[in-house]
Amino acid sequence: MIAVHNLFAGIPQGVPEEIFQEILRTESFRIERIVSRGQASPPGFWYDQETEEWVLLVSGSATLLFDDGRKIDLEPGDHLLIPRHLRHRVERTAPGQETVWLAIHFGGG
Amino acid sequence: MIAVHNLFAGIPQGVPEEIFQEILRTESFRIERIVSRGQASPPGFWYDQETEEWVLLVSGSATLLFDDGRKIDLEPGDHLLIPRHLRHRVERTAPGQETVWLAIHFGGG
């Protein structure tokens, strides 16, 4: 009846891209696991999202860049709220290991 | 503008009880950090919640007991959805260390 899953398990191997997987979807929000293995956003690419995103870096490390020039280095346990339409990109994720993120998307439309 | 906090930082010390702190509240859900230091639910106490709870064990370890007798041991990265009114209790959390939980409460009423 109660299903337990693990954020660090069941990660597809041999996939060159970042992996986005839905954990839970309700009418008002969606929880997603993201696994990065050294990827960054493509050059010139900016996320400009219609929804708010609360994000937690669970393992690994990463650097976010915001379009006001601010850079934020993230270590395990770091979390932040990214307002909708705040342009940002992933400058780097840790090479040679898995960076696992938990993202909650909400407040669309 | 963007504030970064860390799940493992700013934990009040010298508090004998489990610590419940709100991280984010919206109209439709609430994200909470829970820190346990060996506590368990009091004898005979059962959670019987009006809301759904998605919970992630971030660090430490714990055992949940459900009222059908099922016991679930949780390690870091384990997550589960506890439906509303599914009676459960925390049988144990790891002694001598901090067990950090992330809980998302939603779907009330």
Side-chain angles (χ1 to χ4, degrees):
Chain A
M1 178 175 185
I2 293 286
V4 179
H5 299 281
N6 190 286
L7 275 188
F8 308 115
I11 297 175
Q13 299 299 310
V15 178
E17 298 85 19
E18 286 184 303
I19 300 167
F20 298 79
Q21 289 171 301
E22 189 172 290
I23 293 177
L24 181 70
R25 177 189 286 267
T26 75
E27 285 180 9
S28 51
F29 67 92
R30 171 166 74 81
I31 305 177
E32 181 179 61
R33 173 178 77 175
I34 305 166
V35 179
S36 315
R37 294 191 188 91
Q39 291 96 343
S41 302
F45 174 88
W46 294 87
Y47 287 100
D48 184 357
Q49 301 178 141
E50 299 289 333
T51 50
E52 319 268 352
E53 179 176 3
W54 182 85
V55 65
L56 165 68
L57 192 138
V58 183
S59 69
S61 71
T63 302
L64 295 182
L65 178 64
F66 294 87
D67 75 352
D68 63 358
R70 183 166 174 199
K71 272 190 186 178
I72 298 183
D73 292 320
L74 298 176
E75 298 298 326
D78 282 342
H79 58 86
L80 67 159
L81 179 64
I82 303 175
R84 63 167 65 86
H85 293 306
L86 183 65
R87 283 157 49 93
H88 62 283
R89 46 181 279 115
V90 179
E91 273 295 279
R92 58 164 281 282
T93 56
Q97 62 170 293
E98 288 169 346
T99 292
V100 176
W101 314 73
L102 187 78
I104 303 176
H105 304 275
F106 64 98
Chain B
M1 177 173 186
I2 294 286
V4 179
H5 300 281
N6 190 285
L7 276 188
F8 308 114
I11 297 175
Q13 298 300 310
V15 177
E17 299 85 19
E18 287 185 302
I19 300 168
F20 297 80
Q21 289 171 300
E22 189 172 289
I23 292 177
L24 181 70
R25 176 189 287 268
T26 75
E27 285 180 9
S28 52
F29 67 93
R30 174 165 72 81
I31 304 177
E32 182 179 60
R33 173 177 77 176
I34 305 167
V35 179
S36 316
R37 294 192 189 90
Q39 291 96 343
S41 302
F45 175 87
W46 294 87
Y47 287 100
D48 184 357
Q49 303 178 138
E50 299 290 331
T51 51
E52 319 267 352
E53 179 177 3
W54 181 86
V55 65
L56 166 69
L57 192 139
V58 184
S59 69
S61 70
T63 302
L64 296 181
L65 178 65
F66 294 86
D67 76 352
D68 62 359
R70 184 166 172 197
K71 272 190 186 180
I72 297 183
D73 292 321
L74 298 176
E75 298 299 326
D78 282 342
H79 57 86
L80 67 160
L81 179 64
I82 303 175
R84 63 167 66 85
H85 292 306
L86 182 65
R87 283 157 49 92
H88 61 283
R89 46 181 279 115
V90 179
E91 273 296 279
R92 58 165 280 281
T93 57
Q97 62 171 291
E98 287 169 346
T99 292
V100 176
W101 313 73
L102 187 78
I104 303 177
H105 304 275
F106 63 99

